[in-house]
Amino acid sequence: MPELAIIGGTGLTALTGLQITRKEVVHTPYGEPSGPLTHGVLNGKEMIFLARHGYGHTIPPHRINYRANIWALKEIGVRRVVAVAAVGGIHADLPPGRLVVPDQIIDYTWSRAATFYEDGLTHVTHIDFTYPYSPELRALMIRSCRETGLDACEGGVYGITQGPRLETAAEIDRMERDGCTLVGMTGMPEAALAREVGLEYAVCAVIANWAAGRGDAGEISMEEIERTLATGMGRVRTMLARLVPLL
Ligand code: HPA
């Protein structure tokens, strides 16, 4: 069984270069994942791909069944998850197109099913989440970026908003005061759920746009985001091609 899974976000609903061998439908106690798990081979390594928003990119961030996605991956024997996400850049060092390997999270989401530890418990459980991402996996992603000449930001605080609307300029100001350097909508509860079931998990984020009120573009357009992501996801593929043999 493949030990590695890649969860693709906006702009990465398919993984170019992945030789698909089969698709597996997995049912979980928490409902259906975003789609069947795609088994394939990338650079000689067996792996699983899952499109977080569904293969037709139809599931908005607050409706994603994060528990089913993580449960399904764990259930079939995955140990490591590389999560790819399109985000907005808050910090001046994070312009559109740049890659970031965040090391911290601030969670602003609400009313998402965010834990496996709630029903039928014999005791209340609190997982440690001081460092939300796997340091080993982050280090390998950073190494892959360096070795392929990709200019990635090697840390960042990922603020996760509820969406699906983008933020106001004042909300981004507040997030910046909180310490967030990038903003997206899908980083939680995915990371916490992965920790709950003991998956090694880290994020490679692609800056799709300046966050609200940053840069000088005024309104944020979906066309601009899509154009930037086309280039940015090419960079993610380069990183992944290097990373996969290291795992
Ligand atoms: N905000 C939140 N999520 C996002 C953004 C943003 O600016 N860009 C891409 N995902």
Side-chain angles (χ1 to χ4, degrees), residues 21 28 36 45-46 63 67 71 74 88 96 101 117 123 150 152 167-168 181 184 188 195 210 237 239-240 246:
T21 49
T28 84
K45 175 115 183 161
E46 271 188 67
R63 285 277 178 83
R67 290 198 299 189
W71 191 269
K74 178 73 180 177
V101 183
Y117 288 114
H123 57 275
L150 288 167
E167 299 70 39
T168 66
T181 57
M188 283 292 281
R195 178 64 55 87
W210 284 115
R237 289 190 191 97
M239 187 280 288
L240 290 174
L246 298 177

Side-chain angles (χ1 to χ4, degrees), residues 55-124:
Y55 292 95
H57 200 260
T58 51
I59 312 172
H62 64 294
R63 285 277 178 83
I64 291 167
N65 191 338
Y66 296 95
R67 290 198 299 189
N69 287 351
I70 293 296
W71 191 269
L73 295 175
K74 178 73 180 177
E75 171 95 352
I76 67 158
V78 163
R79 288 198 318 112
R80 289 166 150 166
V81 177
V82 172
V84 179
V87 299
I90 298 177
H91 194 277
D93 286 347
L94 296 180
R98 195 163 185 213
L99 301 190
V100 194
V101 183
D103 60 331
Q104 276 296 335
I105 284 174
I106 299 181
D107 185 8
Y108 300 89
T109 65
W110 40 271
S111 87
R112 298 183 179 187
T115 179
F116 293 115
Y117 288 114
E118 55 185 9
D119 292 321
L121 299 180
T122 50
H123 57 275
V124 172

Side-chain angles (χ1 to χ4, degrees), residues 93-94 98-104 138-147 149-157 181-182 203:
D93 286 347
L94 296 180
R98 195 163 185 213
L99 301 190
V100 194
V101 183
D103 60 331
Q104 276 296 335
R138 288 191 63 252
L140 289 174
M141 292 204 288
I142 288 168
R143 177 174 154 196
S144 304
C145 289
R146 287 187 189 166
E147 289 180 359
L150 288 167
D151 165 43
C153 184
E154 300 179 358
V157 180
T181 57
L182 54 141
V203 165

Side-chain angles (χ1 to χ4, degrees), residues 88-91 108 159 161 165-184 209-214 220:
I90 298 177
H91 194 277
Y108 300 89
T161 56
R165 67 165 176 84
L166 294 163
E167 299 70 39
T168 66
E171 285 169 337
I172 294 296
D173 289 344
R174 183 185 74 160
M175 291 177 75
E176 185 166 45
R177 286 193 299 274
D178 285 352
C180 297
T181 57
L182 54 141
V183 54
N209 54 280
W210 284 115
R214 299 295 182 273
I220 301 166

Side-chain angles (χ1 to χ4, degrees), residues 66 70-71 74 79-81 102-105 114-117 125-138 187-203:
Y66 296 95
I70 293 296
W71 191 269
K74 178 73 180 177
R79 288 198 318 112
R80 289 166 150 166
V81 177
D103 60 331
Q104 276 296 335
I105 284 174
T115 179
F116 293 115
Y117 288 114
T125 302
H126 305 284
I127 54 154
D128 173 74
F129 205 45
T130 311
Y131 301 103
Y133 299 119
S134 155
E136 292 81 20
L137 205 46
R138 288 191 63 252
M188 283 292 281
E190 196 174 87
L193 292 166
R195 178 64 55 87
E196 283 189 350
V197 296
L199 289 173
E200 263 190 64
Y201 175 99
V203 165

